[in-house]
Amino acid sequence: MIRKTEDSSFPEGLSLQNQPANLRAMLQTPVTALAGVGPKLAEKLGKIGLETVEDLLYTLPNRYEDRREFRRIGRLREGRYEVFGGEILYSGETTTRKGRRKLFEVVVGDGSGTISLKWFHYRRQWQEKQFKVGRKAVFGGEVKRFGAVREVHHPEVDFLPAGGSFEAYRAADPLVFGRILPVYPLTEGLHQKTARKIWKEAVDRYAPAVRSVLPQEILQRRGLQPLNEALVAAHWPADDVHYESLGSVNDPARRSLVFDEFFFLELGLALKRKGMSLEPGIPFQVEHRYTRPLARMLPYRLTAAQRRVLGEIKHDLMRPHPMNRLLQGDVGSGKTIVALMAALVAIENHTQVAIVAPTEILAEQHYRQFSFWLEKLGLRAALLSGGLKGRPRQELLEQLAAGEVHLVVGTHAVLQEDVTFRCLGLGIIDEQHRFGVEQRQVLRRKGMHPHILVMTATPIPRTMALAVFGDLDLSVIDELPPGRTPIETRLVADRGRNELYRFMRGQLQQGRQGYIVYPLVEESEKSDLQAATEAAEQLRSSIFPEFSIAVLHGRMKSDEKDAVMQRFKAGEIQLLVSTTVIEVGIDVPNATMMVVEHAERFGLAQLHQLRGRVGRGAGQSYCFLLRSQRCSEDGLKRLQVMCDTNDGFRIAEADLEIRGPGDFLGTRQAGLPDFRIANLLQDGRVLEEARQEAMAMVEDPEFPSADKYREIIATLHDRWGGRLELASIG
Ligand code: ADP
Ligand code: MG
């Protein structure tokens, strides 16, 4: 498949020997270098992100049309793109059955049957001139059926020259009929025919020069095609392929491209992981000086899962290399106490601990929990809130730098440059999905290779965890503390509101508390605030006048929020009306009701987080998802998932499926790479394979210095850009 270098279509100076540098340059060729692509067309392509030849090569068809065979009209299959030849039997303007709309209809036949072709947008004169009765043409389009009538709307048409045969026609232009054709994503003013020409030229001229840098053994072991072959096949499938699997997970061409994409991601992660595991760290000793007294003071025993995970963490902490571990556990699974135990080990070893939380409220709550136990053990915790300014802040920074404070909790305020430690031994990041990978780095640089523990309550499906956090070891708390009654979740339509209020009143009278949550309205943050404030007003004045109701929202100052939360925790407030600020981690066991307004506007993972605010005590808890009238069929299906299961992992999978990975975590925040071809949902198996190969490669003692790895390393640098700190591998 690889063309010779003297092929005139290659840009000057390119030789296949000194890839990938030259290959790289070649792939960066602007689309304007292609025949027929002028500035105007280039601009249109630019609108959908296609600027270089590489962009074209790696933008695969959305789907394919099987135009290999002509079908007899009598045997056209419904729902398929079919190609058929026929003679025009009738042609003329008419109206839709109800007479509302004009359309142009052409009936064609080939002796085996007839079919009706319809245009709803057309120029009448032109149509009439073209579609003369008796003319022969080749047609292509998706066959639809309306009752007994088969139709094709806006078919592609190619007329035969007078006296021409279908056979001669077919042989003449392979870009129209007679083979499987790609269908590309389009933008306004770009026609499929034009797109095919552009892509064809890009593929013909440039794809053959793309060379797999992956070792032959890997390609063979995994049944992969070399990149150049895969690219050609993905754009222009051969005639003998299995049409149905084209573009699917099983399409060998696509699989090969996906593997290549995943491989370099995983190789980078494997290297980072290896690099970090080789860094010198602080080997801790587990002396139980503080952990044992704490265990004795706790009002409960740790669950088996908590103990197992704690064991994994302690094992890491004792090694002379820094820990990099992700602690995953559903809401309410008891991650905090595990983190506290880990923190105590660090403190036992005369080092300090930093805890970073995503919101002020959470930071404050962590601070209260940690300081409560630390004080009992004679240790000092401090809160570094974003609001802390001037002298008090300066004093705290000095105490941290002097090592007088054992543990500090805060938001990103902790990550600021002037925050220094005497000896930071352990950094804990809560709710990782809100943080980029960079935050981990910042924390890491505040100490001499401190241990890092990342905690997340978002049950990330395994494939995604591998891709996003592939450089971390994974611990999962897969068991809830005993004595929890599963939360009952119900979908409530607007007309059920009064009944819901009756039920809530009953619960409130029994001394229970509840949350009412309003979604963030995207266009203006004000309006959700308004919605929440107004709703609280209405609840106060006309629905629950006998109970105390407060509002909590993101625009309140942190001490105001804190005051409200404290009063809610103390039971002075029965109903907390809030915007989504309560989403993560807030812990009030007596709150047993959660009402979510406009539930359909939330992602499932987010709803699961919200719901996790109740069901924290022994009482039966309820979650009511109020849906608006406008809630779509799909929306209902999603919400139903919430009613069907409390299992965060199942919910996460469903959410991921519905919303796609980028949306699920927020691609940029999560540090999730943009895949050009791969799809984390579908291609989990390939990811797994790529990961195995990548990990095996970094374990090779000859890696990366051996000559055979030179191109791999170059490609790796290329793909990761500046995001890979690979100083050690040169
Ligand atoms: P999350 O994993 O969501 O951060 P938390 O650490 O906030 O969960 O724990 C949720 C609740 O469960 C807290 O009230 C905590 O005190 C309690 N808890 C944690 N571990 C146990 C346990 N082993 N047995 C009983 N209750 C526990
Ligand atoms: Mg928590």
Side-chain angles (χ1 to χ4, degrees), residues 161-323:
S165 78
F166 285 115
E167 285 64 35
Y169 169 86
R170 214 178 339 183
D173 189 355
L175 269 193
V176 183
F177 293 115
R179 62 178 304 168
I180 295 174
L181 285 189
V183 180
Y184 290 103
L186 294 182
T187 176
E188 207 179 320
L190 177 65
H191 294 286
Q192 197 56 246
K193 266 189 188 171
T194 319
R196 279 185 193 124
K197 269 197 200 120
I198 300 169
W199 256 278
K200 179 122 175 49
E201 209 206 324
V203 172
D204 284 353
R205 266 175 68 180
Y206 296 91
V210 176
R211 198 153 56 92
S212 287
V213 297
L214 290 184
Q216 198 58 37
E217 308 98 73
I218 294 186
L219 297 187
Q220 257 164 19
R221 196 159 41 230
R222 302 295 176 176
L224 303 168
Q225 301 171 349
L227 273 190
N228 51 359
E229 280 176 34
L231 280 171
V232 172
H235 287 278
W236 293 97
D239 280 346
D240 57 354
V241 297
H242 185 244
Y243 172 73
E244 273 70 28
S245 65
L246 277 179
S248 79
V249 218
N250 298 321
D251 177 347
R254 186 178 172 281
R255 234 187 93 234
S256 304
L257 297 170
V258 169
F259 184 95
D260 191 80
E261 208 166 16
F262 279 151
F263 179 82
F264 286 98
L265 168 74
E266 290 301 326
L267 186 64
L269 290 172
L271 266 175
K272 273 182 148 188
R273 193 176 148 125
K274 188 172 182 196
M276 285 187 298
S277 71
L278 292 179
E279 277 171 12
I282 315 163
F284 287 164
Q285 270 151 38
V286 179
E287 297 168 348
H288 305 293
R289 192 161 123 219
Y290 299 123
T291 49
R292 192 163 290 145
L294 173 71
R296 275 201 292 263
M297 284 189 279
L298 283 179
Y300 49 75
R301 278 172 51 83
L302 294 186
T303 62
Q306 283 171 317
R307 267 178 286 145
R308 187 192 69 238
V309 163
L310 195 56
E312 290 164 1
I313 293 173
K314 281 182 181 164
H315 176 82
D316 282 2
L317 294 177
M318 291 163 77
R319 293 180 63 236
H321 305 291
M323 167 171 82

Side-chain angles (χ1 to χ4, degrees), residues 458-461 604-605 647-657 664 681:
T458 309
I460 304 164
L604 291 188
D647 180 341
F649 275 94
R650 273 195 51 205
I651 292 168
E653 298 270 0
D655 204 25
L656 193 51
E657 231 160 78
F664 179 79
L681 289 181

Side-chain angles (χ1 to χ4, degrees), residues 298-304 306 329-338 365-366 369 430-431 455-457 477 480-482 484 585-589 612-613 616:
L298 283 179
Y300 49 75
R301 278 172 51 83
L302 294 186
T303 62
Q306 283 171 317
D330 210 341
V331 277
S333 60
K335 293 183 291 296
T336 316
I337 202 70
V338 171
Q365 179 176 292
H366 275 325
Q369 289 185 21
D430 194 14
E431 309 294 351
M455 303 198 289
T456 177
I477 305 185
L480 292 182
R484 302 259 171 93
I586 301 295
D587 192 17
V588 180
R613 298 311 107 218
R616 310 207 125 217

Side-chain angles (χ1 to χ4, degrees), residues 338-541:
V338 171
L340 174 59
M341 289 281 192
L344 290 178
V345 174
I347 298 170
E348 281 171 7
N349 285 270
H350 313 288
T351 66
Q352 293 164 287
V353 179
I355 302 180
V356 187
T359 63
E360 293 286 344
I361 290 192
L362 253 185
E364 288 155 23
Q365 179 176 292
H366 275 325
Y367 168 70
R368 270 197 299 281
Q369 289 185 21
F370 281 85
S371 61
F372 176 84
W373 295 111
L374 257 62
E375 265 169 39
K376 286 188 188 301
L377 297 163
L379 301 168
R380 269 198 71 193
L383 176 67
L384 180 55
S385 78
L388 194 63
K389 298 257 152 66
R391 189 88 202 105
R393 180 169 186 277
Q394 207 44 49
E395 269 166 27
L396 176 53
L397 295 194
E398 280 162 20
Q399 289 167 351
L400 276 172
E404 291 161 22
V405 170
H406 298 102
L407 179 146
V408 65
V409 188
T411 56
H412 48 270
V414 172
L415 300 171
Q416 275 158 18
E417 214 172 302
D418 57 351
V419 179
T420 57
F421 295 84
R422 195 178 71 86
C423 180
L424 181 66
L426 172 66
I428 299 176
I429 301 179
D430 194 14
E431 309 294 351
Q432 161 73 19
H433 66 284
R434 304 236 175 159
F435 288 97
V437 181
E438 303 82 46
Q439 274 88 346
R440 252 193 271 155
Q441 291 294 350
V442 174
L443 205 49
R444 201 169 272 138
R445 284 193 214 103
K446 288 196 179 293
M448 295 285 293
H449 308 286
H451 299 284
I452 300 283
L453 181 65
V454 174
M455 303 198 289
T456 177
T458 309
I460 304 164
R462 190 176 156 74
T463 32
M464 192 135 159
L466 286 183
V468 184
F469 303 116
D471 53 341
L472 297 175
D473 294 305
L474 185 65
S475 285
V476 183
I477 305 185
D478 49 6
E479 175 190 0
L480 292 182
R484 302 259 171 93
T485 323
I487 302 163
E488 217 178 295
T489 303
R490 287 189 211 150
L491 212 55
V492 182
D494 214 45
R495 63 187 134 75
R497 199 175 273 276
N498 287 335
E499 199 188 326
L500 171 62
Y501 288 152
R502 258 200 303 284
F503 177 83
M504 289 172 68
R505 174 169 291 109
Q507 292 284 305
L508 292 167
Q509 279 164 352
Q510 289 171 36
R512 301 290 190 204
Q513 293 164 279
Y515 302 95
I516 302 181
V517 181
Y518 282 82
L520 216 78
V521 178
E522 266 181 36
E523 307 86 67
S524 83
E525 247 189 83
K526 231 181 201 155
S527 46
D528 80 291
L529 180 53
Q530 214 172 1
T533 319
E534 281 170 15
E537 228 12 87
Q538 213 212 342
L539 288 167
R540 255 187 221 129
S541 60

Side-chain angles (χ1 to χ4, degrees), residues 43 55 60 77 156 177 240 326 357 459 469 483 554-555 645 721:
E43 197 190 319
D55 295 335
L60 298 194
R77 294 160 300 183
E156 290 189 45
F177 293 115
D240 57 354
L326 176 67
F469 303 116
R555 298 201 168 187
T645 182

